[in-house]
Amino acid sequence: MTLLWLLVLLLGIALIAHLRVSPIPALAIVAAYLVLMGSAYETPTWLMVVLWLMLIAVAVPLLVSDLRIKYFSGPMFDWFKKVLPPISSTERDAIDAGTVWWDGQLFSGKPDWEVLLNYPKATLTSEEQAFIDGPTETLCAMVSDWEIGQRMDLPQEAWDYIKAEGFFALIIPKEFGGKGFSAYAHSQIVMKLATRSGDLATTVMVPNSLGPAELLMHYGTDEQRNHYLPRLANGTDIPCFALTGPYAGSDAGAMNDSGVICRGQWEGEEVLGLRLNWEKRYITLGPVATLLGVAFKTYDPDHLLGDEEELGISLALIPTDTAGVEIGRRHVPLGAAFMNGPNWGKDVFVPLEAIIGGRDMIGKGWMMLMNCLSVGRSISLPATGASAAKTCSYVSGRYAQIREQFNVPLSAFEGIQEPLARIGGNAWLMDSARILTANAVDLGEKPSVLSAILKYHLTERGRECITDAMDIHAGKGIITGPSNYLGRLWLSAPISITVEGANILSRNLMIFGQGAIRCHPFVLREMELVHEPDREAAIRKFDALLMQHIGFAVSNTASTLVLGLTFGLLGKAPGNELTRPYFRALDRIAAAFAMLADLSMMLLGGELKRRERLSARLGDVLSHLYLASAALKRYHDLGHPTEQAPLLRWAMEDCLCKAEQALADTLANFPNRLLGGVLQVLVFPFGARHKGPSDALDAEVAAILGRPEGDPALEQILEGVYRPHGSDQALGALRDAFDTLAASQSLQQKLHKALKSGDVKPTAGQDPISAALAAGVLDAAEAQQLTAAEAARRKVISVDDFAKEELELGEGRIR
């Protein structure tokens, strides 16, 4: 009985903490229970004394603030101040950049799902939809990915059309001659263009992503906006932005490009300006740009602006025909044809008015870039990642039906169903995250942490989809030529992995490293108190935050236990019969994640910054919580469609499995191995719950990719994919063959049955269709239909070949 009373006490305390009951009511409930325990049962006196002493030990610090501050919060404040790692100005700007959105809910350990589900659904205006159905569709039809690769440029008519129709002005407000489209529309347009040609999409997305237009819109002076935005909108100016240099990639602080404040001649007058020297590379649109944005460190050695000499990173806009500006020869990123190359400047003088935002924004360039990067990473790269998954879904689903081995379609083999399911499931999941995040931008958010999650996971999953598609296509995918619709996608896959922050950096340092500070409800505020000059006032504020932080940590630890033991049944879960268990599973993982995040920061302090693999695994948990949230949100917004249930289930099982694996790997490598073992029992009291999509579920998802166009589930995967008409192009031939073979399926079955039964016996050199016609099994019309279907199949499975002279390097060709 004593053990039973103790067990109820412990579970009751865990439940109180899980429900986040305030301290005083919680203490009162525990005290009342102890009174009942002591009076209702002959509990040993010594045990009651111990329990009351433990309650008093907790209650006194909670209730007597002066005592707590003197002996606990004050020493903790001094310790925290000592172990807090130094934060560079660029790191500080990165932490401060953007806003906290749904990622803050996930970091809370107790996400409010109603908040997520009540966000408005992403929609397009009639004007935006018309632009996608009209000019975007037309632009896709104007280009051939193979021909772009051969000429290493877009055709001139495509360049002219891009400028004339305002593709460079998607985000520029209408008052400056732009389209003023939403982030969601921007994402849809880039994604559709990317399904036709990655080079085309890159050409369009860069001016609408991190570039002069967005920087001008947010930070430019009225004069700068009025002058440059109309020119950017109508294509008079082609922009690029130069950030990366030979010695400064991900580490912008290593930048050695400089701008020195000085006096010089500008348009015949002596003015105060900057003497710039820089060297940049990997600059997209650089070879054709007329307007160059450049980042540099600013110095004022003669104190022309004030007392400080080192002013920080600044950004300037410089016409490329300015004296001293040099545009180098082109880079060729893995054979991609989009314009990319180096540029540099030596002793280039520009007036201070060239600085984006004018004098007030000198030294604030990194903050400006971080805020704009969070938006660009939320839209452009996720759109191209999703486009790769969608394209692979379309071509792999069609090809696996068209191509046969052992007289059955490839799609009938379980070994093919596995990668098909990964492609289709990833495409639906990635699209869910893309839509949710673009919509967050339209709601006014600048989701810096979520943008890093999307940049990393959507480009990585896109690469995985391309790999799976290549495996399915085998020889068809590796022979270069106009009939190959996968080869250039395969070659360009690593490009998106490296740009705007290499993926290794994003995963190991940014997602959790930034999120732990930015999204945690208390850590950033606690860090800020360290710099307050009034120590006593700072300690009192720190004390209040610390008490909340401790309560937060205890609550998440209790929630991890309670939800683990009850299979999440005590969690508040919305949704229907299908989605409710998934919401509960995410509740349990979110609580465990929040608990481990706190423990890791407490045990490692500044050392966590260098424990990159631990940080990466915690980031993986956060990432998969977000991706799963996006999947549930999309399914909710679509009205819980039954036909898409397999796609939701695949997405959730994949995310939950990977989140649990990341948790398990974190615990297996926890700094304190003993504590890691205890936490293993706490987090997984019954072991891991999710093993990933089952074979049966894989088969369901794979089957969706093989359905005819128009199928509701398939169309949700393929939404936004450019699908050319006619059989004169590789994708058109694929579409034609799929439809033709589907229409003749009954005749194929009739022919196979006759061949199997012996009613048709082709002679040497005679094809089965001719033999069936001669035997009277098929009539002339049927034979003609089957012959046409087989010709369409042959056109798809055929690969390109070239004469020797076609492959010889001609003058001007890249050697």
Side-chain angles (χ1 to χ4, degrees), residues 99-161:
T99 58
V100 176
W101 189 56
W102 182 247
D103 40 347
Q105 287 276 353
L106 296 175
F107 249 96
S108 75
K110 196 173 184 179
D112 186 342
W113 299 110
E114 293 296 341
V115 170
L116 175 70
L117 299 182
N118 287 332
Y119 286 126
K121 180 182 177 181
T123 56
L124 297 170
T125 66
S126 57
E127 180 186 2
E128 292 168 341
Q129 187 65 62
F131 189 87
I132 293 170
D133 295 339
T136 306
E137 186 83 7
T138 300
L139 181 57
C140 287
M142 292 175 69
V143 303
S144 158
D145 200 30
W146 169 255
E147 291 175 2
I148 290 173
Q150 289 301 100
R151 66 194 301 166
M152 291 303 290
D153 196 0
L154 303 180
Q156 187 57 48
E157 56 267 29
W159 278 107
D160 294 340
Y161 192 77

Side-chain angles (χ1 to χ4, degrees), residues 282-283 363 376 542 614 705 731 736:
Y282 309 150
I283 310 307
F542 182 81
L614 181 65
L705 296 191
L731 288 176
D736 179 62

Side-chain angles (χ1 to χ4, degrees), residues 517-750:
I517 298 173
R518 192 73 179 88
C519 303
H520 195 285
F522 305 108
V523 168
L524 182 57
R525 289 186 286 167
E526 290 168 341
M527 290 174 62
E528 288 171 341
L529 287 174
V530 168
H531 304 289
E532 279 204 15
D534 187 339
R535 181 179 180 277
E536 294 304 317
I539 287 177
R540 290 204 167 271
K541 293 176 184 176
F542 182 81
D543 172 70
L545 283 175
L546 185 60
M547 290 302 99
Q548 294 178 61
H549 194 156
I550 291 172
F552 170 81
V554 170
S555 173
N556 284 321
T557 304
S559 293
T560 301
L561 175 64
V562 170
L563 296 177
L565 292 175
T566 63
F567 296 91
L569 293 177
L570 291 182
K572 182 183 177 183
N576 60 13
E577 186 178 353
L578 172 62
T579 61
R580 202 171 295 119
Y582 289 132
F583 280 114
R584 288 174 174 149
L586 292 180
D587 275 337
R588 180 177 62 85
I589 293 173
F593 165 74
M595 175 191 69
L596 288 176
D598 261 326
L599 280 173
S600 299
M601 287 187 283
M602 181 184 73
L603 290 176
L604 294 173
E607 181 65 20
L608 182 59
K609 188 176 178 180
R610 289 173 287 277
R611 298 294 293 271
E612 295 174 19
R613 299 187 70 179
L614 181 65
S615 179
R617 293 180 183 114
L618 289 168
D620 288 343
V621 183
L622 176 64
S623 298
H624 290 108
L625 283 170
Y626 181 66
L627 295 177
S629 299
L632 289 167
K633 167 65 172 169
R634 183 182 187 185
Y635 194 68
H636 167 83
D637 286 348
L638 292 171
H640 303 91
T642 304
E643 74 277 358
Q644 289 183 55
L647 297 171
L648 174 73
R649 288 165 49 218
W650 191 97
M652 295 305 300
E653 292 298 334
D654 181 74
C655 287
L656 289 168
C657 174
K658 289 175 177 174
E660 288 192 341
Q661 185 61 53
L663 284 172
D665 290 344
T666 300
L667 294 170
N669 293 277
F670 211 63
N672 185 312
R673 293 301 178 88
L674 178 61
L675 180 58
V678 173
L679 293 172
Q680 180 79 29
V681 177
L682 180 65
V683 174
F684 297 111
F686 302 111
R689 312 275 177 84
H690 299 275
K691 307 299 183 182
S694 65
D695 292 352
L697 181 55
D698 274 352
E700 285 186 71
V701 174
I704 292 174
L705 296 191
R707 295 175 187 171
E709 293 181 51
D711 176 84
L714 178 64
E715 288 303 319
Q716 277 296 316
I717 295 174
L718 301 184
E719 190 275 326
V721 173
Y722 174 71
R723 300 172 230 183
H725 298 279
S727 58
D728 59 327
Q729 299 182 39
L731 288 176
L734 187 74
R735 189 180 197 182
D736 179 62
F738 181 86
D739 292 342
T740 304
L741 286 165
S744 64
Q745 188 175 16
S746 61
L747 294 178
Q748 294 175 51
Q749 292 172 348
K750 182 178 180 180

Side-chain angles (χ1 to χ4, degrees), residues 262-273 349:
C262 63
R263 294 190 178 276
Q265 292 293 316
W266 182 258
E267 296 180 350
E269 296 182 17
E270 183 178 270
V271 299
L272 192 60
F349 181 81

